[in-house]
């Protein structure tokens, strides 16, 4: 009989393994020496050891799930319990027991990690839903709002999943936000379409009015009427894009018909008035050369009247030079008027009386101050004397100006 610490081979070739529960038969060997039998069954034991070591390594260095680890442990345990091998099977069972403990720890860790991951997923999706709800309620920029809503849906799809009840509740809010946004956008554009239709009808009416008067030759009132219609056109807003260009083309065509006809008439009239412009340019040149040199305002006024009569007799002016020539002639008229006003101010009896009174009052004050100055000097009061000298200097300067103004009125 051949033996080793964990098994033996009896004389008839039966192979036994020793365990804590006693011996059990693991096989029979008839083909060779007993040592070969033990070596063969020890190899089977080493194969089991290798499987246990591989599982230990996987639990230690990979993210093997607890459930997969337990399945592998159970499978290995069955193999060890029924192993036809010679070796320390009890030691392998103890190592499997340790693996069970590690798998249980892994199970707790994985559960915590899953809960943490679900919590993070919930936070991410709550943020997505909250923004979707804000967009649904606050956004009025429909294009960018719609694009953002689509982006949020894509973010939702890419985000990790949380637990089923939370996932369903959050998706329900997400769907409600999308529907709310869609309804608001649809209502807005429906109202906008209605407003644009009202604008279209308003502009159709304005076009009708514009077309009714496009052939009018009552130039002034009709031009004002077109300005009125244009203000109403601008104030009415915009119709839909397809209609707006067509409506404006019709309205402008009516305007152009009227203003082209008016411009043609005015151009012909201006050509006829060009000779008047030449006459008035000569009148203006003569008035500029003569009137400013006349010193007597009455004579200047008389001469201006003659020029005004000639100006009126020369007739109307073309539009392109009307404002320029009329403005230049008004400057001459304004110059004569200012000269008359200055002359009236100079010869006004009331103004002269006020000037004489001012000269008289200042002279009296100066005489009084001279008396006070002499008294102060006689007393040797330098401070008072200096005050009177300064006051006299100021009053004498004022008197000089007052006498000059009075002389100009003489």
């Amino acid at each position: 009989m051949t033996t080793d610490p964990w098994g033996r081979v009896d004389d008839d070739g039966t192979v036994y393994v020793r365990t804590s529960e006693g011996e059990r038969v693991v096989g029979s060997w008839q083909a060779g020496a007993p040592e070969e039998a033990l070596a063969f069954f020890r190899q089977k034991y080493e194969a089991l050891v290798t499987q246990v070591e591989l599982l230990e390594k996987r639990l230690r260095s990979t993210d093997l799930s607890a459930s997969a680890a337990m399945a592998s442990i159970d499978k290995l345990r069955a193999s060890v319990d029924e192993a036809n091998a010679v070796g320390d099977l009890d030691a392998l069972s103890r190592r499997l027991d340790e693996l069970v403990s590690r798998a249980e720890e892994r199970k707790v860790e994985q559960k915590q990690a899953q809960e943490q991951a679900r919590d993070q997923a919930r936070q991410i999706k709550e943020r997505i839903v909250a923004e979707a709800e804000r967009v649904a309620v606050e956004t009025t920029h429909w294009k960018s709002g719609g694009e953002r809503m689509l982006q949020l849906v894509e973010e939702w799809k890419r985000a990790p999943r949380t637990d089923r009840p939370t996932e369903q509740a959050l998706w329900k809010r997400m769907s409600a936000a999308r529907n709310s946004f869609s309804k608001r956008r649809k209502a807005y554009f429906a109202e906008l379409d209605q407003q644009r239709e009202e604008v279209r009808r308003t502009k159709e009416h304005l076009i009708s009015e514009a077309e009714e008067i496009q052939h009018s030759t009552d130039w002034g009132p009709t031009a004002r009427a077109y300005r009125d219609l244009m203000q109403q056109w601008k104030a009415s807003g915009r119709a839909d894009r397809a209609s707006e260009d067509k409506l404006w083309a019709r309205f402008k065509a009516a305007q152009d018909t009227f203003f082209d006809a008016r411009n043609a008439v005015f151009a012909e009239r201006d050509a006829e008035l060009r000779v008047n412009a030449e006459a008035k340019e000569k009148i203006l040149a003569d008035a500029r050369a003569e009137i400013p040199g006349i010193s007597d305002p009455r004579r200047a006024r008389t001469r201006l009247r003659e020029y005004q009569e000639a100006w009126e007799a020369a007739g109307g002016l073309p539009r392109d030079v009307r404002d320029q020539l009329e403005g230049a002639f008004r400057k001459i008229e304004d110059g004569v008027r200012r000269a008359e006003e200055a002359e009236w101010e100079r010869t006004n009896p009331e103004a002269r009386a006020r000037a004489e009174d001012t000269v008289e009052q200042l002279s009296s004050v100066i005489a009084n101050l001279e008396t006070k100055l002499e008294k102060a000097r006689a007393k040797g009061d330098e401070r008072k004397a200096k005050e009177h000298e300064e006051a006299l200097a100021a009053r004498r300067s004022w008197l000089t100006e007052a006498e000059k103004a009075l002389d100009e009125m003489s």
Side-chain angles (χ1 to χ4, degrees), residues 51 57 99 168 178 195 215 241 262 379 394 397:
Q51 292 183 53
K57 185 176 180 180
L99 285 176
Q168 290 177 339
R178 293 173 66 193
Q195 292 173 355
H215 299 299
R241 185 176 298 180
R262 188 189 70 159
K379 292 180 180 180
S397 174

Side-chain angles (χ1 to χ4, degrees), residues 38-291:
L38 290 174
F40 173 77
F41 285 100
R42 277 197 295 270
Q43 287 179 355
K44 290 190 173 185
Y45 172 79
E46 292 300 329
L48 288 173
V49 171
T50 300
Q51 292 183 53
V52 173
E53 288 176 347
L54 286 173
L55 184 55
E56 289 173 335
K57 185 176 180 180
R58 289 181 65 194
L59 263 176
R60 184 171 60 251
S61 59
T62 69
D63 58 352
L64 181 66
S65 68
S67 59
M70 289 301 295
S72 296
I73 292 169
D74 290 342
K75 185 177 180 180
L76 272 175
R77 191 180 296 279
S79 296
V80 170
D81 290 344
E82 300 172 0
N84 293 325
V86 173
D88 191 355
L89 296 177
D90 290 334
L92 283 182
S93 294
R94 288 192 296 273
R95 289 172 72 176
L96 289 173
D97 291 340
E98 291 177 4
L99 285 176
V100 170
S101 297
R102 292 183 197 173
E104 291 293 342
E105 292 174 1
R106 175 66 59 87
K107 183 177 181 180
V108 172
E109 292 171 358
Q110 289 178 338
K111 183 177 180 182
Q112 291 175 344
Q114 288 173 353
E115 290 176 353
Q116 185 177 2
R118 282 196 293 266
D119 186 59
Q120 290 176 347
R122 177 186 57 77
Q123 292 177 16
I124 291 170
K125 291 194 169 178
E126 282 183 345
R127 176 190 60 77
I128 294 171
V129 170
E131 185 173 353
E133 290 172 337
R134 182 189 62 76
V135 170
V137 173
E138 298 178 6
T139 298
T140 55
H141 298 288
W142 305 111
K143 185 176 184 298
S144 61
E147 291 172 352
R148 184 55 185 148
M149 194 66 80
L150 291 175
Q151 290 171 358
L152 290 171
V153 171
E154 290 303 314
E155 288 180 26
W156 175 282
K157 292 177 180 179
R158 292 192 301 268
R161 294 179 64 83
T162 183
D163 60 276
R164 186 178 182 83
T166 303
E167 190 84 11
Q168 290 177 339
L170 289 173
W171 179 249
K172 184 176 181 181
R173 287 172 56 192
M174 184 76 177
S175 298
R178 293 173 66 193
N179 291 337
S180 175
F181 176 79
S182 297
K183 287 179 181 178
R184 286 182 59 233
R185 180 170 57 182
K186 185 177 180 181
Y188 170 82
F189 284 109
E191 183 179 356
L192 186 61
D193 288 343
Q194 183 178 354
Q195 292 173 355
R196 286 173 173 170
E197 178 59 22
E198 292 176 0
V199 171
R200 189 192 63 76
R201 288 196 295 268
T202 298
K203 289 189 172 182
E204 288 278 6
H205 177 69
L206 294 175
I207 289 169
S208 297
E209 292 188 24
E211 289 174 343
E212 285 179 6
I213 59 174
Q214 63 184 326
H215 299 299
S216 171
T217 56
D218 196 0
W219 309 121
T222 306
R224 288 192 293 274
Y226 271 112
R227 283 195 293 271
D228 233 12
L229 291 172
M230 177 57 77
Q231 290 176 354
Q232 294 179 55
W233 182 279
K234 292 178 179 178
S236 65
R238 291 184 62 83
D240 62 278
R241 185 176 298 180
S243 301
E244 185 69 24
D245 292 343
K246 295 177 182 178
L247 292 169
W248 171 247
R250 289 176 57 196
F251 185 78
K252 188 174 185 301
Q255 275 189 318
D256 290 348
T257 298
F258 168 77
F259 284 106
D260 288 349
R262 188 189 70 159
N263 291 340
V265 170
F266 282 3
E268 184 179 352
R269 186 182 298 172
D270 287 346
E272 295 173 355
L273 296 176
R274 192 64 58 188
V275 66
N276 297 350
E278 294 173 0
K280 286 195 172 184
E281 284 173 354
K282 185 177 185 310
I283 294 169
L284 179 63
D286 292 344
R288 278 174 170 169
E290 179 183 0
I291 291 179

Side-chain angles (χ1 to χ4, degrees), residues 276 279-280 283 303-315 329:
N276 297 350
K280 286 195 172 184
I283 294 169
R303 194 73 185 98
L304 176 62
R305 288 196 189 97
E306 294 173 359
Y307 278 112
Q308 286 173 328
E309 290 173 359
W311 186 270
E312 292 298 325
F329 194 75

